[in-house]
Amino acid sequence: MMTHSDPHVLTIGTDDGVRLAATRLGRSASAATLVYVHALGHERGFWSPLAGRVHQQLSGAVTQIVYDQRGHGESGKPAPRQITTLRRLAEDLDTVLAHASGPVVLVAHSTAAQLVYAYATIHREPADRLGGLVLFNAISESLALPRYLHTWPKRLIWLRRHRSLDAVTAAGEAMLAYRLGRTGHLFAPNAGAHPRVTIDILGTHLGFGLHVKAAEALSRIPAVVLAGERDTVVPLQHAVGLADALRADYDIVAGAGHHLPRTHLERATDTITTIVDHALRLHLERPAHAAENERGRA
């Protein structure tokens, strides 16, 4: 028998027909919603231990949604000629947020922070929808990457857009995926990501950082930036700069690496529940402030 506490599988349709696979923990509607965004090239299973712990900690009182981005996990793949851009992923995120209730606390890991920045760029007032933001091991600016990661993806995307060389493109994508897998690079595709979408990510997302307007918009949202002391992917100075730009709380977790949300569950859970509590308090205080302002104008 299904209860409110059982995981519930969702299928979320996008405006171009791609279906997004998602899982909901907790009630379909509650006072607040947590939405988790996995790193580019991974899938929603990354969040399972943390979401389960938060669900237990909050006794299922808050809705949680984890989803696979297009071309990842169990979500549908875009058409072969369609390029998966960061803007497209941000629009998908907006579609997922339509299934949330109450203030939304967005939780992102690693390169998923780029998606959050894109969302803030597209939606100039993200504070109207978001009540809190938690960033784990977040990338705030371009990382030093091998030269072939700048050249190969762009060439493969050009071939896919302008020529009917499907076999050549597929072979190039397979070779690049193999090379990434051998190096163990941050963007290395795994069982959760389609190689074509990984190529799009590498070709269109590199160099996308936190722009001034997006930072200003996000700075109006209560936020926490957590960095791993032993993170070999994102330098600690990136995390410090990100926290300053967002006017966010910031902390370094001792002994943590780049997969902090999985290796340090207790710390990650405490951070999320604190932000949820803060978002709920602000949400409850807003009507009172609005009423006081109305009386002041009368």
Side-chain angles (χ1 to χ4, degrees):
M1 179 178 178
M2 178 69 71
T3 69
H4 290 305
S5 296
D6 293 324
H8 180 72
V9 177
L10 303 173
T11 301
I12 300 173
T14 64
D15 58 9
D16 66 351
V18 173
R19 313 292 288 182
L20 304 178
T23 303
R24 185 186 69 227
L25 287 170
R27 299 176 179 274
S28 58
S30 65
T33 303
L34 278 158
V35 175
Y36 296 82
V37 188
H38 64 73
L40 304 172
H42 293 267
E43 45 85 33
R44 74 187 193 271
F46 176 86
W47 295 112
S48 294
L50 179 57
R53 191 179 181 100
V54 171
H55 181 76
Q56 183 179 30
Q57 189 77 15
L58 297 179
S59 302
V62 170
T63 304
Q64 297 186 88
I65 297 175
V66 293
Y67 76 101
D68 288 330
Q69 295 166 36
R70 62 176 55 216
H72 294 73
E74 297 178 321
S75 286
K77 298 185 294 291
R81 290 287 184 268
Q82 184 178 357
I83 307 302
T84 302
T85 64
L86 202 57
R87 182 183 182 89
R88 176 69 260 185
L89 294 177
E91 290 169 350
D92 289 348
L93 173 59
D94 193 45
T95 300
V96 172
L97 294 183
H99 292 258
S101 58
V104 174
V105 173
L106 208 55
V107 183
H109 173 246
S110 187
T111 51
Q114 293 181 311
L115 203 162
V116 176
Y117 310 152
Y119 176 82
T121 302
I122 295 170
H123 300 275
R124 297 297 178 86
E125 295 297 334
D128 291 343
R129 192 71 187 94
L130 303 181
L133 179 62
V134 179
L135 297 173
F136 295 110
N137 311 98
I139 291 176
S140 60
E141 54 189 271
S142 298
L143 298 174
L145 300 173
R147 187 172 181 274
Y148 71 88
L149 289 184
H150 291 275
T151 55
W152 275 42
K154 291 180 180 179
R155 290 174 182 173
L156 290 170
I157 290 172
W158 189 91
L159 284 172
R160 192 166 3 124
R161 276 178 167 161
H162 300 286
R163 298 185 182 181
S164 299
L165 299 176
D166 293 345
V168 174
T169 305
E173 291 172 349
M175 286 299 297
L176 182 55
Y178 171 77
R179 188 170 182 179
L180 287 169
R182 293 275 292 181
T183 60
H185 192 271
L186 168 66
F187 293 93
N190 54 21
H194 190 275
R196 172 160 40 85
V197 175
T198 302
I199 299 302
D200 290 349
I201 290 168
L202 289 168
T204 62
H205 299 177
L206 292 178
F208 188 95
L210 180 62
H211 301 307
V212 174
K213 289 184 178 179
E216 179 60 30
L218 290 172
S219 68
R220 294 191 284 273
I221 301 167
V224 178
V225 174
L226 255 64
E229 177 191 29
R230 299 179 181 176
D231 191 340
T232 58
V233 176
V234 182
L236 290 179
Q237 59 266 31
H238 283 209
V240 174
L242 176 60
D244 288 343
L246 299 181
R247 303 171 197 163
D249 291 336
Y250 164 79
D251 204 359
I252 299 173
V253 180
H258 191 63
H259 289 162
L260 190 162
R262 288 183 68 91
T263 60
H264 290 67
L265 286 177
E266 184 174 353
R267 183 60 182 278
T269 299
D270 288 346
T271 300
I272 288 173
T273 55
T274 298
I275 283 289
V276 169
D277 179 65
H278 191 41
L280 281 171
R281 284 190 285 108
L282 287 178
H283 186 68
L284 292 172
E285 290 169 0
R286 278 173 185 163
H289 288 318
E292 289 175 5
N293 292 336
E294 287 295 329
R295 286 195 296 270
R297 286 193 294 267

